Amino acid sequence: MVAIAFLIPLGLVVQQLAEDRAVADAERIAAAVVAVLVVRPDQAAVNTAVTTISGDAEGRVAVHNSPSVQMGTGRARTAEIDQADDGSEMLTVDVDGGKALLAPARLSDGTVAVVEVFVPEDELNKGVALAWFTLFALAVGLVAASVWVGDRLAHKVVGAAKSFAQAARSLNDGQLGVRVQPGGPLELMEAGQAFNSMAERVLALIKAERELVADLSHRLRTPLTALRLDAEPITGPAGERVRRSINNLEVEVDQLIRSARQPPANTGEITKVGADGLPVGARCDASEIVRERMVFWSAVAGDQGRTCKRVGATLPAPVPVSRADLAAALDAILGNVFRYTPQGTPIEVAVTRRDGWVAVRVDDGGPGIPDPEAAMQRGVSNKGSTGLGLDIARRLAAGVNGAVNIGRSRFGGASVVVLLPDVEAPPRPTSRFGLVGRLSREPGRRRGRHQGVPR
């Protein structure tokens, strides 16, 4: 646009220069004819002067008001000729086909003759078309060059921005090894360098945290060893149960140490998703996990005089989580029940599979929880615990697009429902929260008014 705005006035200047050049040439011819008329007002002398000045001037020169010289056919009007006759300077007027230059010539006998020189339109515009074409071609070239340069600059900026955004998405997906190649404008280069520094800092923090977890987990070996020695003298089913629990705890601690000592994922690997939209990898049978864990918890419930009932869990219920994770989540929920409800409180654990979802429900007859929202927050507890029990179940469900719902059980206590996708029947496109009531209860059993009682 700047180039066009500059070239248009330039073209008008070129046109004006061509017109001025043609008028100046006419003034030169008129001056020569006037000089001859003043000195020698003779027809032959004027003809000779016109022929000498310019070969194409014969048909363009006319002489008015001279009795001795008759030349050419005038194009100017009578009033314009009379106006030039009364003046002392040349006069330029518009006529058909161009312009006419009128120059007065005072003869020796006192009369005033008027010399008319016709300037045709093509003389006025001579070279203008070529100049406009050249300027137009120059404008097109400038515009094309500016578009190309702008496109290259924009491509560089956009490419750097896209690379930066892709790296941010990759880091968000867990690719801790992703880095940005700084490029583009100075601001984007600085942002890329800051991103790389941030990624390095995140990797260092995760590494330090994992090392701390490994160290803390390793410290648990000493009290576990002492606990095992103390449990050796215990005989009977109780002693066997205690030793089995210690073995399970040692396995979990070993797994925690191994996981913590693995380097952070910096190879760019992310969780793969199958055609059903569920993570590819870990799979387990929720019914099998419930049956397995209920063997342990039923024994503990018997010691405390609790009724511990299992509903369902007879048919396979495949879910896209690992055995250890689901078992840990179920143990966390049941552990809360045993820890925060009085002895003798009934417990019921059920597994339901329907509409593409698997629900694992834990009901109790305890007093419930006074602050539901705080109980679902990580690290928050009003019972003196770590506040991580329900968060373990929540994060497990959230990792596979599931949910944890807390309501009122038929015993009057809390009802915790962990909703997980069914591996073999992907969930239908509907709200998973609306399915909780249907999945967490047996068909036909009416449920009391829902209360959000997070635990």
Side-chain angles (χ1 to χ4, degrees):
M1 287 299 179
V2 175
I4 295 176
F6 171 74
L7 293 176
I8 289 178
L10 184 60
L12 296 177
V13 169
V14 170
Q15 185 172 0
Q16 184 63 42
L17 290 175
E19 183 176 332
D20 293 343
R21 183 182 65 251
V23 172
D25 185 62
E27 290 177 351
R28 181 176 59 82
I29 296 174
V33 174
V34 167
V36 173
L37 286 175
V38 170
V39 175
R40 184 182 177 186
D42 181 69
Q43 182 75 45
V46 172
N47 290 339
T48 302
V50 170
T51 304
T52 303
I53 294 171
S54 177
D56 61 346
E58 295 184 15
R60 297 165 49 194
V61 178
V63 178
H64 304 280
N65 301 335
S66 175
S68 59
V69 177
Q70 300 294 326
M71 177 177 288
T73 302
R75 292 176 174 81
R77 293 183 289 272
T78 302
E80 295 169 343
I81 295 174
D82 294 340
Q83 182 181 358
D85 193 348
D86 295 338
S88 58
E89 296 180 355
M90 296 182 181
L91 179 66
T92 302
V93 297
D94 294 328
V95 296
D96 294 338
K99 293 181 178 293
L101 180 67
L102 303 177
R106 188 170 296 277
L107 304 180
S108 58
D109 57 0
T111 60
V112 178
V114 176
V115 177
E116 176 185 337
V117 180
F118 173 66
V119 184
E121 193 73 32
D122 56 350
E123 286 293 328
L124 294 173
N125 298 320
K126 187 176 181 180
V128 174
L130 179 60
W132 274 109
F133 177 79
T134 303
L135 292 175
F136 176 77
L138 179 61
V140 171
L142 290 175
V143 170
S146 62
V147 169
W148 183 82
V149 173
D151 178 73
R152 293 297 90 195
L153 293 176
H155 178 75
K156 187 177 181 180
V157 173
V158 172
K162 285 184 176 180
S163 175
F164 186 57
Q166 180 61 39
R169 286 192 294 268
S170 299
L171 184 64
N172 180 67
D173 292 337
Q175 302 182 55
L176 302 181
V178 67
R179 296 296 182 268
V180 176
Q181 183 64 37
L186 177 61
E187 293 78 5
L188 281 178
M189 293 183 64
E190 293 177 350
Q193 294 170 354
F195 176 87
N196 291 340
S197 299
M198 178 193 68
E200 292 291 343
R201 179 61 175 165
V202 169
L203 197 60
L205 290 175
I206 293 178
K207 182 179 180 181
E209 182 180 3
R210 296 175 72 91
E211 291 177 352
L212 177 61
V213 171
D215 292 342
L216 293 176
S217 302
H218 193 273
R219 293 178 187 178
L220 292 176
R221 289 182 177 273
T222 300
L224 280 175
T225 302
L227 186 60
R228 175 182 289 279
L229 294 176
D230 291 340
E232 288 297 332
I234 303 176
T235 60
E240 182 64 26
R241 187 173 65 251
V242 171
R243 285 186 289 274
R244 185 167 59 250
S245 299
I246 294 174
N247 290 334
N248 292 337
L249 185 56
E250 285 184 336
V251 170
E252 293 294 337
V253 170
D254 291 341
Q255 179 63 32
L256 183 59
I257 293 174
R258 286 193 296 269
S259 299
R261 285 178 174 173
Q262 290 178 357
N266 57 0
T267 59
E269 297 181 357
I270 61 175
T271 301
K272 296 182 179 181
V273 178
D276 54 3
L278 300 177
V280 175
R283 297 285 191 274
C284 73
D285 183 355
S287 296
E288 181 182 351
I289 299 300
V290 169
R291 292 194 301 267
E292 178 184 303
R293 299 313 301 155
M294 286 300 290
V295 172
F296 169 77
W297 289 107
S298 295
V300 178
D303 293 341
Q304 296 186 2
R306 300 173 183 265
T307 59
C308 191
K309 182 181 179 182
R310 172 169 57 85
V311 178
T314 56
L315 298 177
V319 291
V321 296
S322 67
R323 294 176 54 89
D325 289 342
L326 183 55
L330 183 59
D331 286 345
I333 298 173
L334 289 171
N336 280 348
V337 176
F338 280 88
R339 188 176 297 113
Y340 302 124
T341 61
Q343 293 190 17
T345 301
I347 303 174
E348 181 179 280
V349 180
V351 177
T352 310
R353 182 186 186 190
R354 191 182 308 161
D355 296 335
W357 296 96
V358 173
V360 178
R361 172 175 54 86
V362 178
D363 289 354
D364 66 70
I369 298 176
D371 192 351
E373 294 184 1
M376 287 296 290
Q377 297 179 12
R378 182 175 177 83
V380 177
S381 175
N382 59 358
K383 299 288 187 177
S385 67
T386 60
L388 302 181
L390 277 178
D391 185 70
I392 294 175
R394 181 190 61 79
R395 289 188 292 112
L396 173 71
V400 291
N401 295 323
V404 173
N405 182 76
I406 316 299
R408 181 67 65 181
S409 72
R410 67 185 182 89
F411 304 112
S415 177
V416 181
V417 179
V418 180
L419 197 63
L420 302 172
D422 190 331
V423 172
E424 298 178 354
R428 298 176 184 175
T430 183
S431 173
R432 59 179 179 269
F433 299 102
L435 296 173
V436 172
R438 289 185 290 137
L439 288 171
S440 62
R441 297 292 171 183
E442 296 177 359
R445 178 179 297 172
R446 294 184 58 85
R447 182 178 181 180
R449 182 179 178 183
H450 170 77
Q451 298 182 19
V453 187
R455 188 180 182 86

